[in-house]
Amino acid sequence: MAEKIVEELKPFFEPKAVAIIGATDKKGKVGNVIFENFRMNKERGIFKGKIYPVNPKLDEIEGYKVYHDVKELPDDTDLAVIAIPAKFVPATMRDIAEKGIKAVIIITGGFGELGEEGKRMEQEILEIARANGIRVIGPNCVGVYVPDTGVDTVFLPEEKMDRPKSGPIAFVSQSGAFAAAMLDWAAGEDVGIGKMVSYGNKIDVDDADLMEYFIHDDEIKVVTFYIEGVKDGRKFMDAARKITKVKPVIALKSGRTEYGAKAASSHTGSLAGADTIYDAVFKQTGIIRAEDFEHMFDLAKAFAALGHKLPKGDRIGIITDGGGAGVMASDAVARFGLKMAELSDETIKFLKENFPPHAVAGNPTDVVGDTDAERYRIAIEAFTKDPNVDAIVIIVLFQVPLLEEEKIIEILADYQKKSDKPIVAVAMGGRKTDRYARMLEERGVPVYPTPERGVRAMAGLVRYAEYLRKVKGE
């Protein structure tokens, strides 16, 4: 099974040769943007495969020979991207089947989301695919983005939408617009995305297939989903139970309300179903449910950086140089179902012996506003050694005058590396703080702009660790 799903889906992510059906020289058209994405990535040396544009009315685009018909394509074509009107897609699928191409991305919309005729065409496409061993992503989607191999079927041009760097997060979205906006956002936030799949109406390749694939993808450490509805519940649950034992899965499920469910139905034809059922399914299968877009990527960032080092319990230690921020973090610990760690007597004694009298030795430990980096180091050293602390949230207000920015970054990165306890940082502020936060994240410490978001991300790590202990019978 493992080899089968990897073999079937690999051409979507690493094609030897891609045919772009509907490629055109008209700037801004979907078929032109997709062709240009591949062409530019080939010029950059990222896309290593061959590019075969297909259009019956053209002979050449940007120096590339244009094939007039699918049947003329070279035999090494292993991925077809379709960007032609919906009514022509079923006949094109028959040509693709005859040619022996086994992976197809249908960008085109106008199918099941529009009514019965669209559903009939989807069924016809699916029957052709099933009869010929073809896997299909779409229709009504933006397809696939893989920065490492240069696959980019997102039909929004680079001058309008930035592409993120490579990273250990996979993002799967039923909504193409959401997928595109997320990629743009991730690029701006410097969040690395290893693979993005937008599957639209998902007549064939679905959430479960992708979970099965990502189990075997060593480049991906955490999988995130935007879901409007699941068509095959049993298949979804079986795949989810398998992957969550290996790597974390985070789902943002929309259509929670009556109004949202109705909108999902008209968007991708999804049956959103009762939201309480999804809650139960996610809980049973170990999928972590995100409350919103921000929460999903806060969690993903924590898992990408710390997933190999999960908390052994739910007792949180907080270190801060701002009393108010420490109070906010303490409230968040209670709000997200965690516990404030009871520091050991040895820890309290050590802190008091090494701190000035006005610093607060407790949980939270407040190194106060005249702190330097060394005072933080003393506190972190004590917390990492304390058996009563399972995970540490460190709030750094970089604005305090005596704090050496590069030294505190070095200290946090060092303890993140050598301690077996996960550490997340919180840095509140503006442009200068953002710069230091990026430096910290480059050193492996996830950073959040508020105490609540930092603690909520840590809560995701705690819940996933609890799930793993439960399924492993520890």
Side-chain angles (χ1 to χ4, degrees), residues 49-259:
K50 296 173 184 169
I51 304 170
Y52 302 139
V54 179
N55 188 323
K57 297 176 182 174
L58 296 174
D59 296 321
E60 176 264 331
I61 306 176
E62 299 275 351
Y64 283 78
K65 174 186 175 181
V66 176
Y67 296 84
H68 291 171
D69 193 286
V70 169
K71 294 171 186 172
E72 296 174 4
L73 286 167
D75 291 338
D76 60 353
T77 311
D78 55 352
L79 172 65
V81 181
I82 299 179
I84 56 177
K87 63 183 178 181
F88 300 122
V89 175
T92 301
M93 277 296 293
R94 282 192 284 275
D95 291 342
I96 285 170
E98 193 176 322
K99 191 67 200 174
I101 301 168
K102 300 299 184 187
V104 178
I105 300 173
I106 304 175
I107 302 294
T108 310
F111 287 92
E113 74 277 14
L114 291 189
E116 290 307 312
E117 175 56 18
K119 288 179 183 171
R120 187 201 62 74
M121 285 195 291
E122 284 185 350
Q123 185 59 34
E124 186 178 350
I125 292 165
L126 186 59
E127 286 172 5
I128 296 167
R130 292 277 157 81
N132 294 278
I134 301 169
R135 299 310 307 263
V136 178
I137 290 179
N140 187 27
C141 68
V142 298
V144 175
Y145 170 74
V146 187
D148 286 339
T149 63
V151 173
D152 184 352
T153 68
V154 180
F155 57 84
L156 291 92
E158 286 190 11
E159 58 266 28
K160 295 204 173 195
M161 192 202 97
D162 288 329
R163 267 63 171 173
K165 66 180 183 180
S166 178
I169 301 172
F171 178 60
V172 180
S173 175
Q174 200 160 355
S175 163
F178 185 67
M182 187 286 304
L183 290 180
D184 202 9
W185 171 87
E189 292 292 313
D190 210 27
V191 174
I193 302 293
K195 290 182 177 67
M196 185 285 295
V197 180
S198 150
Y199 50 39
N201 296 5
K202 56 177 174 181
I203 61 169
D204 177 38
V205 173
D206 61 12
D207 324 82
D209 293 319
L210 291 165
M211 283 192 276
E212 292 273 5
Y213 180 86
F214 286 131
I215 289 172
H216 310 286
D217 188 335
D218 292 336
E219 303 301 315
I220 297 302
K221 306 298 182 196
V222 52
V223 182
T224 59
F225 280 93
Y226 168 73
I227 298 172
E228 291 182 358
V230 171
K231 291 179 179 174
D232 187 337
R234 177 54 55 193
K235 183 182 171 190
F236 179 91
M237 291 180 72
D238 289 346
R241 283 196 176 98
K242 285 186 205 170
I243 191 172
T244 54
K245 290 176 185 169
V246 181
K247 52 187 80 174
V249 176
I250 303 159
L252 175 58
K253 163 70 178 63
S254 64
R256 301 184 79 148
T257 64
E258 182 185 347
Y259 293 144

Side-chain angles (χ1 to χ4, degrees), residues 49 60 64 73 123 139 248 296 347 371 374 386 427 457:
E60 176 264 331
Y64 283 78
L73 286 167
Q123 185 59 34
M296 181 166 69
T347 296
T371 190
E374 177 60 17
D386 192 322

Side-chain angles (χ1 to χ4, degrees), residues 253-287:
K253 163 70 178 63
S254 64
R256 301 184 79 148
T257 64
E258 182 185 347
Y259 293 144
K262 190 176 178 183
S265 178
S266 62
H267 180 210
T268 54
S270 290
L271 293 171
D275 197 64
T276 51
I277 295 174
Y278 283 95
D279 262 340
V281 167
F282 293 159
K283 191 172 180 182
Q284 284 176 33
T285 58
I287 291 177

Side-chain angles (χ1 to χ4, degrees), residues 29-47:
K29 299 275 285 185
V30 171
N32 179 260
V33 175
I34 295 170
F35 168 77
E36 286 293 328
N37 291 345
F38 280 99
R39 186 188 69 78
M40 287 190 291
N41 281 339
K42 190 163 184 69
E43 282 187 4
R44 293 166 181 152
I46 305 169
F47 182 65

